[in-house]
Amino acid sequence: RQTIRADRQRHARPGELLQIYQGMRTKHCRKIIGDPVCVAVRPLRLFVSAMGYVQFGDTGEAFGAAAMLDDFARQDGFLHWPDMQAFWQAAHPPACDMDMTFTGVLIRWEPAE
């Protein structure tokens, strides 16, 4: 129940409904779930290199333990951290620097009632 997005001028805010799509800007674009409610937006840095870790910019909280990284990756829809790393390295090289660091936001949601 989370998604990671690049920095931009405005993201969803807590309490707003989200529209979550797969394959944007392609002929295969489709809405993948109903409109959930945003519950949190946190600035984040992902270090997806071999020594991966996650750091939140609003609190400075960071973690790099394998079990915590696996849990974080599962919350984002991946099997485990290595699966998430492989995705980011393949899909987002222009958004990452040479150390495979990605800066953006983590958006968490709950199903709408």
Side-chain angles (χ1 to χ4, degrees), residues 35-53:
D35 296 344
V37 177
C38 176
V39 295
V41 179
R42 299 182 71 185
L44 145 108
R45 287 187 358 166
L46 284 179
F47 299 86
V48 293
S49 61
M51 298 293 291
Y53 70 95

Side-chain angles (χ1 to χ4, degrees), residues 35-95:
D35 296 344
V37 177
C38 176
V39 295
V41 179
R42 299 182 71 185
L44 145 108
R45 287 187 358 166
L46 284 179
F47 299 86
V48 293
S49 61
M51 298 293 291
Y53 70 95
V54 176
Q55 180 180 37
F56 293 101
D58 55 349
T59 62
E61 169 194 3
F63 56 87
M68 293 178 80
L69 291 171
D70 284 343
D71 186 51
F72 180 82
R74 279 190 292 275
Q75 290 175 35
D76 208 65
F78 295 92
L79 295 174
H80 43 62
W81 179 252
D83 186 36
M84 187 175 191
Q85 283 179 304
F87 169 81
W88 278 89
Q89 290 169 354
H92 296 286

